[in-house]
Amino acid sequence: MMAVNLSSPHGAALEAAGEVAGRSLWQDAWRRLRANRAAVVSLIILAIIAVASIVGPYLLPWTYDEIDWDHIEALPPDFALGHYFGTDSLGRDLLARTLFGGRISLTVGILATFVALFIGVAVGAIAGFVGGKVDQVLMRFVDLMYSVPLTFFVIILMVLFGRNFILMFLAIGAVEWLTMARIVRGQTLALRGKEFIEAARASGGSTTAIILRHIVPNVLGVVMVYVTLTIPQVILLESFLSFLGLGVQEPMTSWGMLINDGAAELEINPRTLIIPAVFMTVTLFCFNFLGDGLRDALDPKDR
Amino acid sequence: MSPPLLQVRDLRVHFPVRTGGVLFADYTPLKAVDGVSFDLAAGETLGIVGESGCGKSTLGRAVLQLLPPTSGAVAWLGTDVDLADKAALKARRRDMQVVFQDPLASLDPRMTAGAIIAEPLRNYHPELSSPDIKARVARMMEQVGLLPAMLNRYPHEFSGGQCQRIGIARAMILKPKLVVCDEPVSALDVSIRAQVINLLMDLQRELQLSMLFISHDLAVVRHISHRVMVLYLGKMMELADRDSLYRAPRHPYTRALMTAVPIPDPDQERAKPRAVTFGDLPSPLSPPSGCVFRTRCPKATAICAAAAPPLEAVAAGQLVACHHWRT
Ligand code: SF4
């Protein structure tokens, strides 16, 4: 197919170009994401949950750690008292606790995942693209970190620094970026031999420019899917760390801890399990849809 | 007289290939390019022909410094370049660009045509503003016969010929002095080849380019080249002006290649003499002793196995590496 012959009215064609604004991959991706209904709905639900978690606790009549001394038993939902979702077995408002837990879980989930994403992509892309000794050193370090059991690592951190909320990010980050780095390295190795990388080198691109301009956008689709799998993993890991005493401590809470507590009371009081579990499940679903949408949006071939 | 644009002297590119060994690998050098020398003047096109696997592409990449040569020198305007000097290398790459064989694979699938063509500009002219870059990209797209309005399309939305035009636009936007065309049309439909070849020739005239035109298609090479080099297993077999080469090929391999080109008229085609070559290309890992072509050469004699033939000047501007070129 030949769309143009060389003798086309040049002026007109140039004018046409003037009207067409240059678009980047990101603008195109955003446009395509907005066309994906599942992704947009997910984004809206996530926004609602996030806003509710941030401002919700201030608007409720009870705070997350306040004990309703008149009802130190699991109270069913009672609108007159302001316990819209009832209370837990210690008489604390379940809605307030769920929203407060959402703050912790979402913060940890998103921040830790993005830290992992950043380090993982950087290490994986550099190792895969530069290759040779750099690759050897970086990937052996990843292997080394893999072989350290998480529990052991957490105990060392606690012995060294004591209990600390920040340490949790460190522990989670240290674990989650490893897989990311391996995935990105594998993808980069596959890309490295492609002709367009050679073309980029021939047109004067430095290693950094090629990694940023060509490698990262091309691995991002796969990485996005992995990110959406990592967020739930991190949220669950947080409850495990909290259980070990490294994460948040009572009376603070997180979704993972609420579900943990609720599971213990499943038979007498299923509500304490179901409510936080619904919040978490909806969130994770939304992240998955969003991740899928992002992957499709980042692939120009997918229309 | 000013030095030629490009001087290649005794260039060798060997790749270590693992050929055995269990714990400790045995490596045999694969001589992809073995002792190639030539000059290229400004505005000249040198065609490089040979079968696939003869080192044509490797030679092109070594000239572009995309591959480190094992030995030999590539001098640009009389000065050698230091591969370790990143800044000098980058400055030199500005003047030499490449057009690849597979048009789609050489374009980043996640970049728009506009971004692809603009990439060299962004690398070498970070000071240019976006509207400036856009204007130059639009002008370049015009020049290669693409509608500037298509600048937001992605490579997979273009046909093969259009992709190759994008590749050519990217190579030309910096107004380089040398463009290496690595089989630029062999992946394209026959109907589009002529258009792309003519586009390359037009651009060469406009921009005063030198070109290294790598191809296995003798007809295309004849059309576009001023001089032609014939490579076989990484060695130069013959180097001559286009007209002398096509009128009077001296080397048995060149003759064999010529007779392999079909003549459109079936009667002539049947009647033409065949300088038949038997057998396949020998493994480049263990090339024949003496003359590398002797296993397939109809004129081979004892001396061919004993000694490698030197490159001899048989006429003005015609070099041949054969013991028996006279016959
Ligand atoms: S040197 Fe001998 S084997 Fe080689 S091309 Fe000439 S005649 Fe053939």
Side-chain angles (χ1 to χ4, degrees), chain B residues 251-252 291 293-294 297 299-301 304 309 321-324:
Chain B
H251 197 281
C291 173
F293 187 53
R294 76 179 158 83
C297 180
K299 290 202 245 167
T301 55
C304 302
C322 175
H323 293 299
H324 304 300

